[in-house]
Every structure is written in structure tokens, then in C-alpha cells.
Amino acid sequence: MKIQITGLGYIGLPTAVLIANNDIKVYGVDTNTTVVDKINLGEVHIVEPGLGELLLKSVKKGNLSASTKPNEADVHIIVVPTPFKENLVPDISYVEKAILSILPVLKKDNLLIIESTCPVGTTEKMANYIFNEKPELLNNIYVAYCPERVLPGNVFYELVNNDRVIGGINIESTNKAIEFYNYFVKGQKHPTNSRTAELCKLTENSSRDVQIAFANELSMICDKAEINVWDLISLANKHPRVNILQPGSGVGGHCIAVDPYFIAHDYPKESILISKAREINNYKSEWCVEKIINTVLEFNLKNKFEPTIALMGMAFKPNIDDLRESPAVYIINQVHNRLKNNTIISEPNIQTHKIYKLTDFKEAYENSDIVVFLVSHDEYKSLVINEGKIILDFCGIFKLK
């Protein structure tokens, strides 16, 4: 059996490595030549615990190789980005291009699986496109949708152990996809149809977005009421049927911050709560910016000099290097543009940034008057609170009011 994975990013590469380490031949395809070259050298281009060692092992054994052009294979998996456009319209052009690229090598009895997050109906649309272009494949290939549902930083464990929702364009495709995932997934495989599987992925992340919006809204209420939100949530969660999440500086990443728009765009009148949650979580980042600026102005009035502000964290979640849709990056951009040279930026999970100079987190903390925690990286938890500094803790590292 030969597997081809198109898209070697935060999900595609770990998936390729996992399958390859089951002694299955895997071809990886990516349009980025730098990514392809690094993988063929056994080097990683993303941060994920354990990925480097397993990648090198699979490359050395000859089970994994990367290219910019597709190969013939038995199973084709599409794991490319699906962002949204400026007007919040879902952009499935990467999926379309991936399907177009593998069309010449698709053959009878192939299994095609889309794992990219997609609007409802995308899998059927792609299948119809294939059958229109190559009518001989109608009823002769299997097409299914199986969304990933892993947590960056714990990808390998979750790829193996998490349940998977698998929906084909027909029963035969569903069963064929389940048979494939049985090779490396220990979690349960739940059969359905492709449309339900597509909406299931969007539903999971929209649900989390709504719950986070509630926590973020509480944090803004508590700030105005002069109540410690962390204490409040801890106490409320003592109720046996209450489980409030933790607030933050917004919501980022390629899933929770994006997927709700896929529902809201297609079903605008029916998704009022989902849309409002997106507004609240986006506004929380704006609120953080204003909180920082107001704190700086108060400092100026009291001390008669401009403070140095340490902005701690750029990733969209703790302990990873992924900056996609990160609210921390948005906040840093806004604050830096307004305060210019008075900011110090720390992100312990990346070495360099194309725009900002990065400072060691201990140095940033020591050399600043105002410290703003945007991401709860483990490194920051080792810092000792200095009473001479003003601390804005938006992510609950010290659970300050």
C-alpha cells in the first residue's frame, strides 16, 4: 500500500510520519520547496514534540519522501489549508488545487480522503469534479471526508487515540476509509456521510468558540466589577453541572477562530449565537489593546516618563510556535504601532520573526515596567512576580485580578 499526503503542515506532516512509521510507504507533497527539501533531509519545519526523531527515522528507512509533484498511490489524503477571504467567505481554493494536482494520477480503486476543514458539501463537490473530468472513475474510486481533531503539542497521541468521524459519498467509500484508518488509529471510527462529517468538524470548533466567548465576556464584566475572574470561574465550576472555560486574549489558530465562519457564511440567519461568539472573541483582543494603552497612559501621568512594555507570547496557544490567526500577534501589532519603540517582545518557541526582534523572556521581564502576558507558555510560569512591575495577565498565568 502506498499513501500520498498533499499538504505537509501542522497536521499533514505528523500524519505522514505516523503512517510511515507503521512501515507503510508515504509520499508527501507540498508546494513549498523549502519544506520539501527539509523533509527529505529528515529535518522538521514546525514545532511538535517527538516529530523530529520520528521524521528522521522514517526518511532513513525509506518510508517517507517529499516532492512538489504528486505520485501514483493507493490512498490520497488532502490536508491543505482552508482559510477565509477578507469578507469572511470560506476559501476552498487550496483543496480545489490539490484535487486538480492529483487528478492525473488518480486511478481505479483509489481512496481519496479530504481531512481539511471544509464547508458542507465540499466533498461531494470535489467528487463530482473528478467524475466530470474523468468519467471512467465514476463508481470506481472511493471518496470520503474525515476531519482531523488533534491538539498541537500532543498530535501523535491524539492522531492514534482520538475517535474519528468518517463520512463517505456512499457507504462503500465510508467503509473503505474506515478500513484504512484502522491501520494506525486506535480510537473508534464513527461512520456517517460526508456532509454530516463536514458539519461535525465545524460544530466541534464552533461549540468551543461559544464557550470561550462566555469566559471572555465574563472576564470583561469582572474587570469592570473589580472581581478576580479566575476566582469567580473556579467557584462557579464547583457546581456539578457547570464547566466554564478559561478566558484569554482572544481566540486563534486555524480551527476555532476560522471554522464558525464556515457555518455563518452558509447559514447566516440560523447561526446567530455562533456569529455573536465570534464577535465577542474578536472584541476581546481589541479590549486587551485598549487595556494596555490605558495602563500606559496612567503610568505616564503618575511617573512622568514613558514605560517599557514587555509583550509576552505570540503563538495562538501555549507551548507551540504556531502564529496562525493568533490574537497575541494582533494585539502586539496594534500596541507596537501605537507605542513604537517602547515594546519588548518575547516568544520562547520561535527563534526569529520577520518583523519583530525577539527578546529572551527573562530579559524582557526584567527590563520592562509593564509586563503583558498574552500566552501562558510554561516558561513564563517560572517567573517571580516583582511588586515593582505592573502586570497585565490576560491568560491566567498568575491568576491576578
Side-chain angles (χ1 to χ4, degrees):
M1 182 168 60
K2 296 179 180 178
I3 313 300
Q4 180 165 266
I5 296 180
T6 303
L8 297 173
Y10 287 92
I11 303 301
L13 181 57
T15 302
V17 169
L18 174 64
I19 297 173
N21 275 275
N22 280 272
D23 286 325
I24 299 172
K25 179 67 177 178
V26 179
Y27 302 114
V29 180
D30 202 283
T31 57
N32 189 322
T33 55
T34 301
V35 168
V36 168
D37 292 341
K38 287 178 74 71
I39 290 171
N40 285 329
L41 291 172
E43 300 175 358
V44 296
H45 65 282
I46 57 176
V47 173
E48 180 61 42
L51 178 60
E53 180 182 349
L54 291 175
L55 171 62
L56 183 60
K57 178 182 175 182
S58 60
V59 170
K60 282 186 174 181
K61 289 186 69 175
N63 288 335
L64 175 62
S65 61
S67 173
T68 57
K69 295 182 179 180
N71 296 276
E72 287 191 354
D74 302 295
V75 181
H76 298 268
I77 306 176
I78 307 298
V79 199
V80 295
T82 47
F84 52 81
K85 303 172 185 177
E86 289 184 4
N87 54 357
L88 302 181
V89 174
D91 182 4
I92 62 169
S93 62
Y94 292 95
V95 175
E96 292 172 337
K97 290 175 182 176
I99 296 296
L100 180 63
S101 71
I102 67 171
L103 194 60
V105 297
L106 279 178
K107 59 184 187 296
K108 183 181 177 182
D109 294 329
N110 275 182
L111 169 62
L112 168 63
I113 301 172
I114 299 175
E115 289 199 0
S116 303
T117 303
C118 293
V120 176
T122 300
T123 305
E124 292 174 340
K125 180 180 178 182
M126 294 301 103
N128 289 334
Y129 171 77
I130 292 169
F131 300 145
N132 286 335
E133 294 296 315
K134 300 184 77 170
E136 68 274 16
L137 294 180
L138 181 62
N139 298 321
N140 285 318
I141 65 169
Y142 306 94
V143 182
Y145 182 78
C146 180
E148 56 82 16
R149 39 161 58 154
V150 299
L151 185 69
N154 196 34
V155 166
F156 285 112
Y157 177 84
E158 298 208 349
L159 279 175
V160 173
N161 294 286
N162 285 357
D163 288 7
R164 300 300 288 263
V165 174
I166 302 173
I169 59 170
N170 49 43
I171 294 175
E172 293 77 16
S173 294
T174 300
N175 292 336
K176 190 73 172 179
I178 289 174
E179 181 184 322
F180 166 70
Y181 282 105
N182 278 334
Y183 282 103
F184 63 96
V185 174
K186 294 180 181 178
Q188 283 189 271
K189 274 68 70 175
H190 302 279
T192 184
N193 56 71
S194 61
R195 295 174 69 86
T196 302
E198 289 163 342
L199 187 55
C200 184
K201 169 67 173 180
L202 303 178
T203 298
E204 291 164 5
N205 287 320
S206 296
S207 172
R208 295 189 65 206
D209 197 42
V210 170
Q211 295 174 57
I212 295 169
F214 181 73
N216 279 335
E217 193 168 81
L218 272 182
S219 71
M220 294 183 284
I221 293 170
C222 285
D223 182 77
K224 200 162 190 176
E226 298 184 345
I227 293 171
N228 187 311
V229 68
W230 315 103
D231 288 347
L232 173 70
I233 291 174
S234 176
L235 292 169
N237 283 345
K238 303 299 182 184
H239 188 290
R241 289 172 295 281
V242 173
N243 184 25
I244 303 169
L245 301 183
Q246 301 295 295
S249 57
V251 172
H254 186 60
C255 293
I256 300 178
V258 176
D259 294 2
Y261 291 121
F262 285 37
I263 296 178
H265 176 264
D266 289 344
Y267 311 98
K269 292 183 179 180
E270 295 80 10
S271 57
I272 297 171
L273 178 61
I274 291 171
S275 298
K276 195 63 181 179
R278 278 281 74 233
E279 290 179 23
I280 292 169
N281 286 330
N282 285 336
Y283 174 70
K284 181 63 188 292
S285 300
E286 299 280 359
W287 184 89
C288 291
V289 171
E290 293 306 315
K291 187 76 174 176
I292 295 167
I293 298 301
N294 289 336
T295 302
V296 170
L297 292 175
E298 290 173 6
F299 185 98
N300 286 342
L301 289 173
K302 182 178 180 180
N303 298 281
K304 307 303 181 184
F305 69 89
E306 293 185 352
T308 299
I309 304 96
L311 300 170
M312 310 291 277
M314 298 185 77
F316 82 81
K317 68 180 292 292
N319 307 322
I320 63 171
D321 68 337
D322 195 342
L323 307 185
R324 291 178 297 175
E325 310 298 331
S326 172
V329 171
Y330 173 82
I331 293 167
I332 288 170
N333 289 340
Q334 296 297 312
V335 173
H336 183 77
N337 288 340
R338 292 168 70 170
L339 301 179
K340 302 303 179 186
N341 298 323
N342 294 328
T343 57
I344 303 174
I345 299 167
S346 160
E347 175 45 69
N349 293 291
I350 58 177
Q351 294 182 339
T352 59
H353 189 268
K354 61 182 179 181
I355 298 176
Y356 299 117
K357 176 186 175 182
L358 300 180
T359 303
D360 175 78
F361 75 96
K362 292 182 180 178
E363 182 181 340
Y365 182 78
E366 292 297 330
N367 295 327
S368 58
D369 303 296
I370 300 173
V371 185
V372 182
F373 290 102
L374 300 172
V375 189
S376 57
H377 291 312
D378 284 348
E379 289 86 349
Y380 300 157
K381 297 174 184 177
S382 67
L383 296 169
V384 178
I385 295 179
N386 185 330
E387 292 185 1
K389 295 182 183 296
I390 296 174
I391 307 292
L392 296 179
D393 184 6
F394 294 130
C395 54
I397 291 180
F398 300 113
K399 301 292 190 288
L400 300 175
K401 183 175 175 180

